[in-house]
Short mmCIF file of all heavy atoms in Angstrom, two decimals:
data_model
loop_
_atom_site.label_atom_id
_atom_site.label_comp_id
_atom_site.label_asym_id
_atom_site.label_seq_id
_atom_site.Cartn_x
_atom_site.Cartn_y
_atom_site.Cartn_z
N HIS A 55 -32.46 -16.87 -11.90
CA HIS A 55 -33.69 -16.24 -12.46
C HIS A 55 -33.36 -15.50 -13.79
O HIS A 55 -34.25 -15.38 -14.59
CB HIS A 55 -34.24 -15.30 -11.43
CG HIS A 55 -35.03 -16.05 -10.39
ND1 HIS A 55 -36.30 -16.56 -10.64
CD2 HIS A 55 -34.71 -16.43 -9.12
CE1 HIS A 55 -36.70 -17.23 -9.56
NE2 HIS A 55 -35.74 -17.15 -8.61
N MET A 56 -32.10 -15.02 -13.91
CA MET A 56 -31.78 -14.40 -15.15
C MET A 56 -31.70 -15.38 -16.29
O MET A 56 -31.82 -15.07 -17.48
CB MET A 56 -30.46 -13.67 -15.05
CG MET A 56 -30.67 -12.31 -14.40
SD MET A 56 -29.14 -11.41 -14.30
CE MET A 56 -29.76 -9.92 -13.58
N ASP A 58 -33.80 -17.97 -16.41
CA ASP A 58 -35.09 -18.65 -16.34
C ASP A 58 -35.06 -19.97 -15.60
O ASP A 58 -35.70 -20.93 -15.91
CB ASP A 58 -35.65 -18.90 -17.76
CG ASP A 58 -35.90 -17.59 -18.48
OD1 ASP A 58 -35.78 -16.55 -17.82
OD2 ASP A 58 -36.19 -17.64 -19.68
N ARG A 59 -34.15 -20.05 -14.62
CA ARG A 59 -34.09 -21.20 -13.74
C ARG A 59 -34.65 -20.81 -12.39
O ARG A 59 -35.03 -19.68 -12.19
CB ARG A 59 -32.67 -21.78 -13.63
CG ARG A 59 -32.04 -22.22 -14.91
CD ARG A 59 -30.70 -22.78 -14.64
NE ARG A 59 -29.72 -21.75 -14.34
CZ ARG A 59 -29.10 -21.62 -13.20
NH1 ARG A 59 -29.28 -22.51 -12.20
NH2 ARG A 59 -28.19 -20.68 -12.97
N LEU A 60 -34.55 -21.74 -11.46
CA LEU A 60 -35.02 -21.40 -10.06
C LEU A 60 -33.83 -21.30 -9.11
O LEU A 60 -33.93 -20.63 -8.09
CB LEU A 60 -35.98 -22.46 -9.61
CG LEU A 60 -37.39 -22.35 -10.15
CD1 LEU A 60 -38.18 -23.55 -9.73
CD2 LEU A 60 -38.05 -21.09 -9.63
N MET A 63 -33.59 -24.54 -4.20
CA MET A 63 -34.96 -24.38 -3.72
C MET A 63 -35.25 -25.24 -2.47
O MET A 63 -36.26 -25.06 -1.82
CB MET A 63 -35.95 -24.82 -4.80
CG MET A 63 -36.09 -23.83 -5.94
SD MET A 63 -36.85 -22.30 -5.44
CE MET A 63 -38.55 -22.74 -5.33
N VAL A 227 -18.89 6.33 -13.18
CA VAL A 227 -18.85 5.15 -14.06
C VAL A 227 -17.45 4.62 -14.15
O VAL A 227 -17.22 3.37 -14.04
CB VAL A 227 -19.41 5.48 -15.46
CG1 VAL A 227 -19.27 4.31 -16.40
CG2 VAL A 227 -20.89 5.87 -15.35
N TRP A 328 -25.68 -8.59 -11.84
CA TRP A 328 -26.44 -8.34 -13.05
C TRP A 328 -25.47 -8.28 -14.24
O TRP A 328 -25.67 -8.91 -15.25
CB TRP A 328 -27.17 -7.05 -12.84
CG TRP A 328 -28.11 -6.59 -13.92
CD1 TRP A 328 -28.50 -7.27 -15.03
CD2 TRP A 328 -28.85 -5.34 -13.88
NE1 TRP A 328 -29.39 -6.54 -15.72
CE2 TRP A 328 -29.60 -5.35 -15.03
CE3 TRP A 328 -28.87 -4.21 -13.05
CZ2 TRP A 328 -30.42 -4.29 -15.37
CZ3 TRP A 328 -29.67 -3.20 -13.38
CH2 TRP A 328 -30.43 -3.19 -14.52
N TRP A 331 -23.93 -11.67 -15.25
CA TRP A 331 -24.79 -12.58 -16.06
C TRP A 331 -25.22 -11.94 -17.36
O TRP A 331 -26.02 -12.50 -18.06
CB TRP A 331 -25.94 -13.08 -15.25
CG TRP A 331 -25.41 -13.83 -14.07
CD1 TRP A 331 -25.43 -13.37 -12.78
CD2 TRP A 331 -24.71 -15.06 -14.08
NE1 TRP A 331 -24.75 -14.30 -11.98
CE2 TRP A 331 -24.32 -15.32 -12.72
CE3 TRP A 331 -24.36 -15.98 -15.08
CZ2 TRP A 331 -23.61 -16.43 -12.40
CZ3 TRP A 331 -23.65 -17.10 -14.72
CH2 TRP A 331 -23.26 -17.31 -13.39
N THR A 332 -24.75 -10.77 -17.64
CA THR A 332 -25.03 -10.13 -18.91
C THR A 332 -23.85 -10.19 -19.86
O THR A 332 -24.05 -10.50 -21.06
CB THR A 332 -25.39 -8.63 -18.67
OG1 THR A 332 -26.44 -8.58 -17.73
CG2 THR A 332 -25.83 -8.00 -19.94
N LYS A 347 -6.32 2.62 -22.61
CA LYS A 347 -6.78 3.50 -23.66
C LYS A 347 -8.03 4.24 -23.36
O LYS A 347 -8.31 5.28 -23.91
CB LYS A 347 -7.01 2.63 -24.93
CG LYS A 347 -5.74 2.19 -25.61
CD LYS A 347 -6.09 1.56 -26.94
CE LYS A 347 -4.92 0.89 -27.57
NZ LYS A 347 -5.38 -0.04 -28.61
N TYR A 348 -8.85 3.71 -22.44
CA TYR A 348 -10.09 4.36 -22.21
C TYR A 348 -10.19 4.93 -20.78
O TYR A 348 -10.26 6.17 -20.60
CB TYR A 348 -11.30 3.42 -22.46
CG TYR A 348 -11.41 3.07 -23.94
CD1 TYR A 348 -10.76 1.99 -24.47
CD2 TYR A 348 -12.12 3.90 -24.77
CE1 TYR A 348 -10.87 1.73 -25.80
CE2 TYR A 348 -12.26 3.65 -26.09
CZ TYR A 348 -11.60 2.58 -26.65
OH TYR A 348 -11.68 2.30 -27.96
N TYR C 4 -12.98 6.79 -31.54
CA TYR C 4 -12.78 6.55 -30.06
C TYR C 4 -14.07 6.76 -29.29
O TYR C 4 -14.51 5.93 -28.52
CB TYR C 4 -11.69 7.49 -29.65
CG TYR C 4 -11.26 7.39 -28.17
CD1 TYR C 4 -10.41 6.44 -27.77
CD2 TYR C 4 -11.79 8.29 -27.26
CE1 TYR C 4 -10.05 6.31 -26.42
CE2 TYR C 4 -11.41 8.25 -25.94
CZ TYR C 4 -10.54 7.23 -25.52
OH TYR C 4 -10.15 7.18 -24.23
N ASN C 7 -16.67 4.26 -30.13
CA ASN C 7 -16.45 2.99 -29.41
C ASN C 7 -17.02 3.08 -28.02
O ASN C 7 -17.73 2.13 -27.62
CB ASN C 7 -14.93 2.74 -29.28
CG ASN C 7 -14.42 1.99 -30.47
OD1 ASN C 7 -15.19 1.46 -31.26
ND2 ASN C 7 -13.09 2.04 -30.66
N PHE C 12 -21.28 1.37 -24.26
CA PHE C 12 -22.29 1.60 -23.30
C PHE C 12 -23.64 1.15 -23.80
O PHE C 12 -24.41 0.52 -23.07
CB PHE C 12 -22.34 3.09 -22.93
CG PHE C 12 -21.42 3.36 -21.78
CD1 PHE C 12 -20.25 3.96 -21.97
CD2 PHE C 12 -21.80 3.00 -20.50
CE1 PHE C 12 -19.39 4.21 -20.91
CE2 PHE C 12 -20.97 3.20 -19.46
CZ PHE C 12 -19.74 3.85 -19.64
N GLY C 18 -27.84 -5.24 -23.31
CA GLY C 18 -27.72 -6.58 -22.70
C GLY C 18 -28.28 -6.63 -21.31
O GLY C 18 -28.97 -7.56 -20.96
N MET C 19 -28.04 -5.55 -20.56
CA MET C 19 -28.57 -5.53 -19.19
C MET C 19 -30.09 -5.51 -19.19
O MET C 19 -30.72 -6.12 -18.27
CB MET C 19 -27.99 -4.32 -18.45
CG MET C 19 -26.58 -4.49 -18.05
SD MET C 19 -25.86 -3.09 -17.27
CE MET C 19 -26.37 -3.28 -15.60
N THR C 22 -31.23 -9.09 -19.71
CA THR C 22 -31.17 -10.00 -18.55
C THR C 22 -32.18 -9.55 -17.49
O THR C 22 -32.74 -10.37 -16.83
CB THR C 22 -29.74 -9.93 -17.94
OG1 THR C 22 -29.15 -8.68 -18.16
CG2 THR C 22 -28.87 -11.00 -18.56
N HIS C 25 -35.42 -10.98 -18.24
CA HIS C 25 -35.48 -12.43 -17.98
C HIS C 25 -35.59 -12.70 -16.50
O HIS C 25 -36.00 -13.81 -16.12
CB HIS C 25 -34.26 -13.14 -18.53
CG HIS C 25 -34.51 -13.50 -19.98
ND1 HIS C 25 -35.09 -14.67 -20.30
CD2 HIS C 25 -34.21 -12.89 -21.12
CE1 HIS C 25 -35.15 -14.76 -21.62
NE2 HIS C 25 -34.66 -13.65 -22.15
N ALA C 30 -39.69 -19.28 -14.33
CA ALA C 30 -38.63 -20.26 -14.56
C ALA C 30 -39.25 -21.50 -15.26
O ALA C 30 -40.41 -21.84 -15.04
CB ALA C 30 -38.02 -20.62 -13.23
N VAL C 31 -38.41 -22.12 -16.05
CA VAL C 31 -38.86 -23.32 -16.73
C VAL C 31 -38.54 -24.58 -15.92
O VAL C 31 -38.90 -25.67 -16.33
CB VAL C 31 -38.24 -23.46 -18.13
CG1 VAL C 31 -38.71 -22.36 -19.04
CG2 VAL C 31 -36.73 -23.41 -18.01
N THR C 32 -37.87 -24.40 -14.81
CA THR C 32 -37.49 -25.54 -14.01
C THR C 32 -38.71 -26.25 -13.48
O THR C 32 -39.70 -25.63 -13.09
CB THR C 32 -36.64 -25.04 -12.80
OG1 THR C 32 -35.70 -24.14 -13.26
CG2 THR C 32 -36.00 -26.19 -12.07
N GLN C 34 -39.86 -28.66 -10.46
CA GLN C 34 -39.34 -29.11 -9.16
C GLN C 34 -39.65 -30.58 -9.04
O GLN C 34 -40.60 -31.01 -8.44
CB GLN C 34 -40.06 -28.32 -8.06
CG GLN C 34 -39.72 -26.85 -8.03
CD GLN C 34 -38.38 -26.66 -7.44
OE1 GLN C 34 -37.37 -26.71 -8.12
NE2 GLN C 34 -38.30 -26.49 -6.14
#
Side-chain angles (χ1 to χ4, degrees):
Chain A
H55 282 284
M56 279 182 177
D58 299 351
R59 297 183 288 117
L60 283 173
M63 286 294 283
V227 174
W328 185 5
W331 299 106
T332 304
K347 287 188 188 162
Y348 292 91
Chain C
Y4 181 82
N7 273 344
F12 270 104
M19 285 176 84
T22 33
H25 273 273
V31 293
T32 314
Q34 294 285 87

